[in-house]
Structures are given as C-alpha cells and as structure tokens.
C-alpha cells in the first residue's frame, strides 16, 4: 500500500486478492464461514452469530478483537450483501452508517477462483477515531498505518483460505 494522504472522512479502502486452485463453491464455503476467520487473524479473536441465525442477508454477528495499541473490543456486524457463491459483505455496527464495511468477492477464473477481500473505513466513528481526536495533526499517518495493518491481515486471511481450499481435504477442516 502506498501513501495516499487519506483522512478518516475520505472513507479509505484497501483490497487484496489471490487466485485459488479450487472452484468458487468450495472457496465460498470457507469465506462464508465467519466463525473460521479468527483462526486466520491475529486481531479477530472470536465470532458468534446472534439470534440463533447463520449466514444470510440481514443476519448479525458479534466479533471480538484484540490489538496491542487499542486493547480489546467487540462489534456487531450486519450482513448487507449475500450472493452465494459470489459476494459476502457486512457492515460494522449501524448498517446505514457503518464504522467499516468488509467484503469478499469470488469470480471463476482460469479453472479456479479469483478471491478479493475489500474493506472501507468509516464513515461512522470507530476505535481509531479516539487516536485521531487525541492527535489530529497525525490523522493521515494514523489512517495510513491502520490501513497497512488491515492490508497485511487481509493478506494473511486470503493465504489461509487458499491453503484450506487447495488442501487435499476439501471439507475445509485442514489445519492452518
């Protein structure tokens, strides 16, 4: 990721992608299993569906995270896009005014799957907002550093999905 000079109000985005030697339906089973995601993240600690639901448009889940600089926190996310086996997106906190939006996009490509993970910061305040408010002169640097962290973590997530999808055990139960 290169310096953009973005501020939080700009709703900065980051996207990573990979190609996986597995069909979209197989990759979809992994990316739509959000309870699997903490296994691939140093920040996301756990995920739990709310209301006895599971993945579907409008479903909600709580994600618990931990970061050395920010401590521990929990957020409620809402599934805002659900198009198996093509697209899954969720808005963090208020779906009409989210603190972040996350999206997986899958496309058939060259006998496998092109997988993209994208996220947008803001427009609603998030945990990062406190750091920005306490050091407004450093806002662009704070945003840039956090976006680079997201990019690195998303890359690890996609590598984990790729490893599971391409493993001989197609059930997705292979260990990372």
């Amino acid at each position: 990721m290169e310096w953009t000079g973005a501020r939080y109000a700009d709703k900065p985005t980051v996207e990573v992608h990979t190609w996986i030697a597995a069909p979209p339906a197989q990759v979809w089973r992994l990316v739509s299993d959000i309870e699997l995601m903490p296994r691939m993240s140093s920040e996301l600690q756990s995920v739990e569906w709310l209301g006895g639901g599971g993945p579907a448009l409008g479903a909600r889940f709580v994600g618990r995270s931990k970061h050395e600089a920010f401590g521990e926190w929990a957020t409620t996310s809402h599934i805002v896009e659900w198009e198996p086996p093509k697209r899954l997106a969720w808005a963090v906190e208020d779906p009409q005014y989210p603190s972040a939006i996350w999206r997986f996009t899958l496309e058939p490509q060259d006998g496998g799957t092109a997988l993209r993970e994208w996220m947008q910061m803001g427009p609603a305040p998030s945990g990062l907002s406190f750091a920005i408010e306490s050091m407004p002169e450093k806002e662009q640097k704070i945003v840039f550093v956090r976006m680079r962290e997201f990019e690195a973590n998303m890359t690890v997530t996609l590598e984990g999905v790729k490893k599971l999808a391409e493993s001989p055990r197609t059930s997705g139960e292979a260990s990372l």
Side-chain angles (χ1 to χ4, degrees), residues 109-144:
Q109 183 182 70
D110 300 327
T113 304
L115 175 62
R116 288 179 172 73
E117 185 176 8
W118 173 92
M119 75 83 58
Q120 171 187 293
M121 187 183 294
S126 70
L128 197 63
S129 301
F130 177 76
I132 292 168
E133 289 169 6
S134 63
M135 298 177 282
E137 72 284 358
K138 295 183 179 181
E139 177 179 5
Q140 291 168 299
K141 183 175 182 181
I142 292 167
V143 168
F144 178 70

Side-chain angles (χ1 to χ4, degrees), residues 25-159:
Q26 186 173 331
V27 176
W28 176 261
R29 283 192 297 275
L30 296 168
V31 298
S32 64
D33 180 2
I34 62 161
E35 293 170 316
L36 175 68
M37 293 303 140
R39 288 178 44 194
M40 295 179 252
S41 173
S42 60
E43 191 168 309
L44 182 62
Q45 302 296 299
S46 68
V47 177
E48 177 184 347
W49 289 106
L50 295 174
L57 189 61
R60 298 176 307 128
F61 62 90
V62 171
R64 290 176 180 75
S65 300
K66 183 178 182 180
H67 187 284
E68 185 178 302
F70 304 119
E72 296 181 24
W73 69 95
T75 57
T76 299
S77 292
H78 305 256
I79 303 292
V80 294
E81 295 178 32
W82 178 258
E83 299 174 41
K86 297 177 183 179
R87 184 182 306 261
L88 165 63
W90 60 93
V92 180
E93 297 301 342
D94 182 347
Q96 301 303 313
Y97 188 60
S99 58
I101 300 171
W102 293 83
R103 178 181 299 123
F104 285 108
T105 306
L106 297 78
E107 295 177 18
Q109 183 182 70
D110 300 327
T113 304
L115 175 62
R116 288 179 172 73
E117 185 176 8
W118 173 92
M119 75 83 58
Q120 171 187 293
M121 187 183 294
S126 70
L128 197 63
S129 301
F130 177 76
I132 292 168
E133 289 169 6
S134 63
M135 298 177 282
E137 72 284 358
K138 295 183 179 181
E139 177 179 5
Q140 291 168 299
K141 183 175 182 181
I142 292 167
V143 168
F144 178 70
V145 167
R146 188 63 172 140
M147 296 306 284
R148 286 189 68 186
E149 286 178 342
F150 284 140
E151 180 182 49
N153 290 335
M154 292 161 66
T155 299
V156 169
T157 297
L158 293 195
E159 288 170 357

